[in-house]
Amino acid sequence: GAGVSQSPSNKVTEKGKDVELRCDPISGHTALYWYRQSLGQGLEFLIYFQGNSAPDKSGLPSDRFSAERTGGSVSTLTIQRTQQEDSAVYLCASSLLLAGGPRTDTQYFGPGTRLTVL
Amino acid sequence: SQKIEQNSEALNIQEGKTATLTCNYTNYSPAYLQWYRQDPGRGPVFLLLIRENEKEKRKERLKVTFDTTLKQSLFHITASQPADSATYLCALRYGQNFVFGPGTRLSVLP
């Protein structure tokens, strides 16, 4: 079946512009995560959606970052007034959490969007 | 806050040898710990999960141990092959979030 997809794969923008990154999770997955990975660095948690619950936004680095998940499926990460330090690979992951089942949170990652802010 | 350390940024070993990667964490007692593999230009791929009540987990040439007293997990690849060359990440759930280690870049030399 189809895995997690992200678009665009690459995005080059000018400082100060807004960008939108899209994530299509695996169908039926209830949880969706956004991460940021800078060159040579580990994954930095940004935001987490689980079902219809309020998202956990505790990882968003500033109020220029926002994300939404429509209909419990597709998610969009928006970065307003981009800065050069926003340049990174933005990864999306989804997982299936079964009610009453063992908690594993195995995450399935997309290929990422490489954002370059000039 | 939770912090994860992985033993080294890069590890080079000879083909056929056993690679051992270390993951240490602080300030938390996770219910489980995960290991992922990441190839250049790709997202991480899940490999193994080990729970706090498990000492060891195996999958083909992979073996993971979990010592909750030492707050450490070891990841072993036996009979390593050049195709095992990648970055390996450990991760644990911390509250609602996941915390990933910085990764160890493994190079298996032919």
Side-chain angles (χ1 to χ4, degrees), chain A residues 30-54:
Chain A
T30 56
L32 187 147
Y33 310 78
W34 281 99
Y35 296 89
R36 177 169 70 175
Q37 188 172 35
S38 301
L39 188 62
Q41 302 296 312
L43 275 69
E44 175 189 4
F45 167 80
L46 296 177
I47 189 169
Y48 163 63
F49 296 89
Q50 170 53 38
N52 296 320
S53 303

Side-chain angles (χ1 to χ4, degrees), chain A residues 37 45 56 103-105, chain B residues 32 34 38 51 93 97:
Chain A
Q37 188 172 35
F45 167 80
D56 178 352
R103 189 112 193 215
T104 66
D105 292 349
Chain B
Y32 57 82
Q34 302 176 331
Q38 186 173 25
R51 299 185 185 281
R93 191 177 187 90
N97 310 332

Side-chain angles (χ1 to χ4, degrees), chain B residues 12-69:
Chain B
N12 297 327
I13 64 166
Q14 209 64 38
E15 182 176 6
K17 300 293 186 182
T18 296
T20 298
L21 285 64
T22 304
C23 176
N24 294 288
Y25 59 94
T26 60
N27 303 332
Y28 193 59
S29 296
Y32 57 82
L33 187 144
Q34 302 176 331
W35 284 89
Y36 289 79
R37 167 180 174 148
Q38 186 173 25
D39 290 283
R42 296 178 175 269
V45 174
F46 172 78
L47 295 175
L48 280 169
L49 176 149
I50 185 165
R51 299 185 185 281
E52 60 180 340
N53 61 348
E54 297 175 318
K55 296 297 184 186
E56 182 179 298
K57 181 74 72 72
R58 291 176 183 263
K59 179 182 177 182
E60 298 174 350
R61 294 184 295 110
L62 308 180
K63 184 179 82 171
V64 173
T65 62
F66 195 12
D67 188 326
T68 55
T69 301

